[in-house]
Amino acid sequence: MPRLFVIRHGITGRSDIPLTPNGINTVSSKSDQVVGHDKVREWDYGDYEGLKPHEIKEKNPTWNIWTDGCPGGESVEEMTARVDSVIARIREVHRRYVEEGLGKRDTLIFSHGHFSRVLISRWMEFTPALGTHFNFEAGGIALLSYNHGSLKEPSLNGLNLYAY
């Protein structure tokens, strides 16, 4: 069955840190395989961008990103819709591979912590808020696939896998 590998990098927020020359060369050599990054960006923190958790709690003591979203940024519904659109795109790639023998078996996403946790939750058709229960460590790898040889049974096959 096709697999989706999700790698959580260690950058927080939406800061746009440029690639190193080695990173540019690596991406350029794989450009025909890279889909793009716009939809897998981190949750838009809006008014809270750049603030540490304790600073946000000083402004809004009851704030919870999983239920409240971010003022001036993305709501839970907007984040869900964005993640769901990524999942739909991946599932179409997987469907074509399984049903038509087209394309490649596996897909790979590099993403941020909150995006990744929402992706895992939505992949398994859970609410986004369940993402808070997935401790997806920086540099960790998640493996998502399907049970019983069925594209209708999405599964989490591994979390915080590492290549040593």
Side-chain angles (χ1 to χ4, degrees), residues 49-102:
E49 182 66 34
L51 298 179
K52 294 181 173 130
H54 76 274
E55 294 171 319
I56 297 171
K57 291 290 187 179
E58 287 172 6
K59 292 176 173 282
N60 184 349
T62 63
W63 178 73
N64 180 329
I65 193 169
W66 302 101
T67 55
D68 301 332
C70 298
E74 281 182 293
S75 68
V76 174
E77 295 78 18
E78 290 168 325
M79 180 63 160
T80 302
R82 183 160 55 88
V83 169
D84 286 353
S85 73
V86 171
I87 290 171
R89 187 171 179 185
I90 292 165
R91 289 214 171 123
E92 177 56 20
V93 169
H94 289 174
R95 184 203 63 75
R96 284 193 337 255
Y97 175 80
V98 169
E99 295 177 4
E100 301 170 23
L102 299 174

Side-chain angles (χ1 to χ4, degrees), residues 11-72:
I11 300 169
T12 59
R14 295 183 63 214
S15 301
D16 188 11
I17 299 169
L19 290 173
T20 64
N22 182 50
I24 292 169
N25 288 337
T26 300
V27 171
S28 296
S29 71
K30 304 288 185 193
S31 63
D32 62 328
Q33 300 172 35
V34 174
V35 174
H37 68 279
D38 292 344
K39 295 230 181 223
V40 297
R41 70 185 181 281
E42 183 56 301
W43 201 314
D44 183 346
Y45 270 65
D47 298 345
Y48 295 156
E49 182 66 34
L51 298 179
K52 294 181 173 130
H54 76 274
E55 294 171 319
I56 297 171
K57 291 290 187 179
E58 287 172 6
K59 292 176 173 282
N60 184 349
T62 63
W63 178 73
N64 180 329
I65 193 169
W66 302 101
T67 55
D68 301 332
C70 298

Side-chain angles (χ1 to χ4, degrees), residues 1-4 94 123 143-147 153-157:
M1 288 303 289
R3 301 172 298 181
L4 168 59
H94 289 174
W123 180 265
L143 174 58
L144 305 171
S145 190
Y146 306 90
N147 284 329
E153 295 185 43
S155 63
L156 172 63
N157 294 48

